[in-house]
């Protein structure tokens, strides 16, 4: 059961609040001094605090109430605090709301408003705890995955990427072709390494071929090898990439660029494991696992007649889709930190700009951005201007990351004179998102 702690040295106020909250079936505990209240918070089990701003040792300035609030924040920065204040301390209470207090109520308080505020904060605390437990469970799952499997140093935090990595480790043991799809620079090759590293052929070679970078006239000889005289300049026998990858994995990047003649031979290898070197009639056999990747829509290529449908079905036994970096914002800052040089850190402004940028070039663009910014940074700190992003200005008030509190929403609406669109912009939200939060907090225009 959730518990509200009231910290007030006035016995009459403590009794009044205890009666009021108990009538609403809200469990309440009392502390007659800041020290007693802080000790109860340290012991845990407190979900909302109602604290006075004025105590007997400090009858006029409110300094003791300010000190108490900051002590609470030091113990539990996420614990919601409602301030009880006289009109003489109203400005101080508003300042504390800006510092993270959940709400403030003037004495004498309005019972309905107080109960509404407490219930909303208890509900938010419950949701926050559930979210934290979920995130802790996810973090534990990621840790277990990293301990049980080799994820090849991949940096991620998002659930979206975690699902892809989990699937890669699960299918790695299956001796079937894997097709990795996703945009350029998103990390398709790293995912291919994970498949190889956790497969039965992990000790075998991992051969990378960028099909898109191979000249069409050399494609077959590169993949399947060649005999002397097979083409101009071929003076001796040479192995192709398939033979080099025998007993391991052949990673074919940009598979959509493979010409139709090469597709025919690749299809035969996938079906039989057999092929001939260019210029030879001798059939060779290899045990090579194929992992391919593309940023193209191969179904469209099939429709256009540039990619064989039967080959697509052979390659696409299992598909791993790598998401866009902008669709997994939780990964941006951890990846950026990974690329930072020793002794270099990001300023808050730089972090906000990184989170606000759309990253059309995905992880590769982020890596290049951080490496460039490191050269521009002074005193080991990367500032916003060092990033050189075309869209470096972050969304107004974009947090890293922080969900707006009820007090944030009320203050934004007050500053915007009730204009929802203007308040939403100041919070970095859409109008619809702000309306949802207003409904959740029980706030009307």
């Amino acid at each position: 059961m959730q518990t509200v702690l009231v910290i007030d040295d006035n016995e009459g106020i403590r009794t009044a609040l205890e009666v009021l909250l108990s009538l609403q079936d809200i469990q309440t505990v009392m502390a007659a001094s800041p020290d007693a209240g802080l000790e109860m918070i340290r012991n845990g089990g407190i979900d909302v605090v109602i604290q006075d701003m004025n105590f007997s040792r400090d009858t006029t300035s409110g300094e003791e109430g300010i000190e108490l609030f900051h002590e609470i924040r030091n113990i539990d920065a996420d614990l919601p605090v409602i301030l009880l204040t006289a009109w003489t301390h109203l400005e101080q209470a508003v300042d504390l709301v800006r510092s993270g207090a959940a709400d403030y109520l003037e004495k004498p308080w309005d019972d309905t408003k107080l109960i509404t505020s407490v219930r909303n904060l208890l509900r938010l605390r419950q949701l926050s705890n559930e979210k934290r437990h979920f995130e802790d469970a996810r973090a534990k799952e990621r840790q277990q995955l990293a301990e049980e499997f080799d994820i090849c140093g991949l940096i991620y935090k998002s659930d979206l990427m975690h699902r892809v990595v989990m699937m890669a480790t699960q299918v790695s043991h299956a001796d079937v072709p894997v097709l990795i799809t996703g945009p350029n620079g998103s990390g398709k090759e790293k995912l291919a390494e994970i498949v190889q590293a956790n497969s039965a052929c992990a000790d075998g070679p991992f051969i990378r071929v960028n099909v898109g970078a191979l000249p069409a006239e050399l494609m077959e000889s590169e993949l399947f090898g060649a005999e002397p005289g097979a083409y101009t300049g071929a003076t001796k026998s040479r192995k192709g990439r398939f033979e080099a990858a025998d007993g391991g994995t052949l990673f074919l990047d940009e598979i959509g660029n493979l010409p139709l003649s090469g597709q025919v031979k690749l299809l035969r290898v996938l079906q039989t494991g057999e092929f001939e070197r260019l210029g030879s009639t001798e059939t060779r056999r290899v045990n090579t696992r194929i992992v391919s990747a593309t940023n193209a829509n191969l179904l469209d290529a099939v429709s256009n007649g540039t990619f064989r449908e039967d080959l697509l079905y052979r390659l696409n036994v299992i598909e791993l889709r790598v998401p866009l970096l902008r669709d997994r914002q939780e990964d941006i800052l951890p990846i950026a930190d990974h690329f930072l040089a020793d002794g270099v850190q990001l300023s808050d402004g730089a972090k906000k700009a990184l989170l606000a940028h759309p990253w059309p070039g995905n992880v590769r663009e982020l890596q290049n951005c951080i490496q460039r910014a490191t050269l521009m940074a002074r005193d080991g700190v990367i500032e916003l201007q060092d990033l050189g992003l075309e869209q470096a200005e972050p969304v107004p008030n974009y947090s890293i990351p922080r969900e707006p509190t009820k007090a944030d929403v009320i203050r934004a609406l007050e500053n915007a004179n009730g204009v929802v669109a203007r308040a939403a912009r100041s919070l970095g939200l859409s109008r619809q998102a702000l309306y949802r939060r207003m409904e959740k907090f029980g706030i009307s225009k």
Side-chain angles (χ1 to χ4, degrees):
M1 187 173 184
Q2 291 181 292
T3 301
V4 175
L5 167 63
V6 176
I7 309 176
D8 199 302
D9 61 348
N10 187 313
E11 183 178 359
I13 288 180
R14 294 199 307 272
T15 301
L17 288 173
E18 185 174 22
V19 171
L20 175 63
L21 294 171
S22 64
L23 288 173
Q24 302 295 321
D25 293 324
I26 298 173
Q27 180 168 294
T28 311
V29 293
M30 301 291 158
S33 69
D35 288 343
L38 292 172
E39 182 63 24
M40 295 174 75
I41 293 171
R42 291 189 188 96
N43 291 334
I46 303 300
D47 297 289
V48 171
V49 174
I50 301 175
Q51 71 148 91
D52 192 15
M53 284 290 294
N54 191 38
F55 291 87
S56 56
R57 289 195 292 114
D58 181 20
T59 57
T60 57
S61 69
E63 289 299 321
E64 193 173 9
I66 296 172
E67 181 181 346
L68 171 60
F69 170 75
H70 288 298
E71 288 286 346
I72 294 172
R73 298 285 288 177
N74 288 335
I75 297 171
D76 185 347
D78 298 322
L79 183 60
V81 178
I82 299 174
L83 306 170
L84 288 182
T85 178
W87 66 271
T88 52
H89 301 132
L90 185 57
E91 185 175 342
Q92 293 171 329
V94 172
D95 287 340
L96 291 183
V97 167
R98 294 193 182 102
S99 299
D103 205 350
Y104 68 88
L105 297 172
E106 294 182 68
K107 296 177 181 178
W109 62 81
D110 179 285
D111 287 353
T112 301
K113 184 176 180 181
L114 186 145
I115 292 298
T116 300
S117 181
V118 168
R119 286 199 181 282
N120 286 337
L121 293 173
L122 286 173
R123 177 58 178 157
L124 288 175
R125 180 72 166 179
Q126 180 183 5
L127 293 174
S128 177
N129 288 338
E130 290 173 356
K131 180 182 178 183
R132 184 166 59 252
H133 292 154
F134 175 78
E135 290 174 347
D136 289 345
R138 282 296 193 190
K140 184 177 180 180
E141 188 179 72
R142 287 193 291 269
Q143 181 63 31
Q144 290 175 338
L145 183 74
E147 292 173 356
E148 184 177 352
F149 297 97
D150 182 357
I151 62 171
C152 302
L154 181 67
I155 304 298
Y156 71 94
K157 187 178 179 182
S158 66
D159 288 340
L160 197 59
M161 196 64 189
H162 181 61
R163 288 194 291 269
V164 179
V165 175
M166 281 192 66
M167 187 174 180
T169 59
Q170 289 168 356
V171 305
S172 60
H173 66 279
D175 188 18
V176 294
V178 174
L179 176 64
I180 304 173
T181 59
N184 283 332
S186 59
K188 296 189 293 295
E189 183 172 337
K190 180 63 71 174
L191 212 59
E193 292 176 8
I194 293 173
V195 172
Q196 154 76 4
N198 297 282
S199 67
C201 56
D203 294 332
F206 181 75
I207 304 298
R208 302 168 176 84
V209 181
N210 187 332
V211 177
L214 293 177
E217 62 274 14
L218 297 179
M219 186 82 67
E220 288 189 47
S221 63
E222 285 293 323
L223 292 178
F224 306 108
E227 296 295 338
Y231 57 89
T232 304
T235 59
K236 59 181 181 179
S237 298
R238 60 185 298 268
K239 287 183 178 182
R241 305 297 178 90
F242 267 93
E243 287 183 81
D246 190 17
T249 300
L250 179 62
F251 175 54
L252 300 175
D253 199 7
E254 297 189 33
I255 189 66
N257 292 329
L258 186 66
L260 289 171
S261 58
Q263 292 178 33
V264 173
K265 281 199 169 184
L266 177 57
L267 179 61
R268 182 188 173 199
V269 177
L270 291 173
Q271 290 173 330
T272 66
E274 298 177 347
F275 65 95
E276 291 84 31
R277 289 179 181 174
L278 195 64
S280 172
T281 58
E282 179 185 351
T283 299
R284 299 175 182 273
R285 187 172 187 85
V286 292
N287 180 22
T288 300
R289 182 178 190 173
I290 302 298
V291 176
S292 53
T294 182
N295 65 343
N297 188 323
L298 294 184
L299 288 175
D300 287 346
V302 169
S303 299
N304 296 333
T306 58
F307 204 86
R308 293 179 62 100
E309 184 176 21
D310 48 3
L311 176 59
L312 174 57
Y313 291 142
R314 280 284 180 177
L315 293 173
N316 194 18
V317 175
I318 296 171
E319 181 179 358
L320 302 175
R321 296 188 181 186
V322 185
L324 295 164
L325 181 57
R326 67 168 176 260
D327 290 338
R328 44 188 179 104
Q329 273 206 339
E330 294 168 89
D331 295 340
I332 293 174
L333 293 183
I335 293 173
D337 287 340
H338 174 71
F339 291 138
L340 286 173
D342 291 341
V344 179
Q345 59 183 339
L346 294 162
S347 69
D348 286 345
K351 290 178 181 179
K352 291 178 181 180
L354 292 176
L355 289 169
H357 189 67
W359 300 112
N362 296 287
V363 176
R364 187 177 299 138
E365 181 189 359
L366 177 56
Q367 179 179 13
N368 293 338
C369 173
I370 295 298
Q371 290 175 342
R372 181 179 61 248
T374 299
L375 299 176
M376 303 297 295
R378 296 182 180 181
D379 301 322
V381 178
I382 294 176
E383 301 290 350
L384 184 150
Q385 62 269 20
D386 299 326
L387 297 174
L389 297 175
E390 293 183 6
Q391 301 178 17
E393 286 299 324
V395 177
N397 287 347
Y398 193 94
S399 57
I400 313 180
R402 178 176 174 271
E403 173 69 14
T405 65
K406 179 183 177 182
D408 292 332
V409 173
I410 292 173
R411 184 167 60 253
L413 288 167
E414 289 175 346
N415 292 340
N417 295 320
V419 179
V420 173
R422 191 186 308 164
R425 282 196 300 273
S426 72
L427 292 169
L429 301 172
S430 66
R431 288 175 57 195
Q432 292 79 5
L434 179 54
Y435 274 123
R436 287 196 296 271
R437 285 158 177 80
M438 289 169 64
E439 181 180 359
K440 180 172 69 173
F441 296 145
I443 300 170
S444 64
K445 280 184 65 178

